[in-house]
Amino acid sequence: MGQHYLVADVGGTNTRVALANDGKLQTQTIHRYRNTDQSGVVEILQTYLAEQAPEARPEAVCIDVAGPVGTDEGQLTNLDWTVTSAELCAATGATFGAILNDMQAQGMALSHLPSTAFHSILKGTAQSGNRMVVNIGTGFNSAVVLGEGPKLTVPGSETGHVNLPVPSPKIYELHQFLTERFGFASAEEVLSGRGLGHIYGFLAGLDPRQPFPSSHHIMSNLRSDPHARKSVDIMLE
């Protein structure tokens, strides 16, 4: 019969849910939910089982969340959601529930991905050993991956909330702009999805207290808006 699992990746904007059998993800079962349309993780998992997999009887449920994870509890950084492993089991009928930090999940996945899943961005000398995973989405985070093969250690990480580095006078001015808006200029406020809007607001001389253009709007106007193109350049810097 094999072992059946329910798995989910819970981000700040979307949640993706799927089934896995004997440790192998069933890619055809992946379904995405927009978090603004949901009340929490429990509702999403129950909706998924009812509408996408009514015959599924998961023995275990495992989710990763974009935020800090304590003892049997996960809390999202950019969304007012918390969930416990007990709630996961009660919602799905599973006998075992687990919650990971999203960067821990990405780091652990490295040893299970085929070589075709990787694409070189910059040429270099490939070396074995410790690695690093970086996630740019609604928020920003990174984590180190210690070890090789199936035995990996990935410490939980919230590095997106470190102070924004200041490599140039222009970035220093951006740092001051963000400090005025948030009280603290974190790396996440520049390197995440919403960070593009913050950079644009800074370049356009907008009031730090007013709403900024969305990243979608900025990327759609790269050819016509010089502030849009410059925003991307600064993010890359």
Side-chain angles (χ1 to χ4, degrees), residues 12-14 33-39 44 79 81:
T13 301
N14 299 296
Y33 298 86
R34 191 162 183 82
N35 292 341
T36 53
D37 300 329
Q38 313 295 327
S39 63
I44 291 175
L79 195 61
W81 286 5

Side-chain angles (χ1 to χ4, degrees), residues 81-101:
W81 286 5
T82 59
V83 65
T84 66
S85 56
E87 290 174 332
L88 296 178
C89 291
T92 63
T95 57
F96 178 79
I99 305 173
L100 289 78
N101 172 264

Side-chain angles (χ1 to χ4, degrees), residues 21-193:
N21 295 334
D22 291 328
K24 184 176 178 58
L25 181 69
Q26 305 302 299
T27 57
Q28 74 279 7
T29 68
I30 298 174
H31 193 77
R32 186 183 73 167
Y33 298 86
R34 191 162 183 82
N35 292 341
T36 53
D37 300 329
Q38 313 295 327
S39 63
V41 178
V42 167
E43 179 191 3
I44 291 175
L45 297 183
Q46 290 178 327
T47 299
Y48 177 85
L49 289 175
E51 297 179 354
Q52 304 297 323
E55 304 299 322
R57 299 293 183 269
E59 300 166 45
V61 54
C62 180
I63 71 170
D64 72 62
V65 298
V69 175
T71 304
D72 298 325
E73 180 180 271
Q75 180 177 358
L76 275 83
T77 301
N78 293 303
L79 195 61
D80 188 23
W81 286 5
T82 59
V83 65
T84 66
S85 56
E87 290 174 332
L88 296 178
C89 291
T92 63
T95 57
F96 178 79
I99 305 173
L100 289 78
N101 172 264
D102 61 336
M103 299 312 300
Q104 287 181 300
Q106 288 192 32
M108 292 292 185
L110 289 181
S111 292
H112 301 278
L113 293 172
S115 59
T116 53
F118 298 93
H119 303 275
S120 295
I121 304 300
L122 297 174
K123 292 183 178 180
T125 302
Q127 297 181 348
S128 59
N130 300 334
R131 291 162 289 177
M132 187 177 196
V133 287
V134 179
N135 183 71
I136 302 175
T138 306
F140 172 86
N141 201 3
S142 63
V144 294
V145 182
L146 307 175
E148 296 183 70
K151 295 183 179 180
L152 300 179
T153 299
V154 186
S157 174
E158 290 297 324
T159 54
H161 306 295
V162 300
N163 193 43
L164 177 69
V166 182
S168 69
K170 195 69 173 180
I171 303 300
Y172 174 76
E173 295 175 13
L174 173 60
H175 187 287
Q176 298 302 102
F177 177 83
L178 293 172
T179 300
E180 183 179 352
R181 179 179 175 92
F182 299 106
F184 176 76
S186 71
E188 180 166 289
E189 300 303 347
V190 171
L191 296 176
S192 68

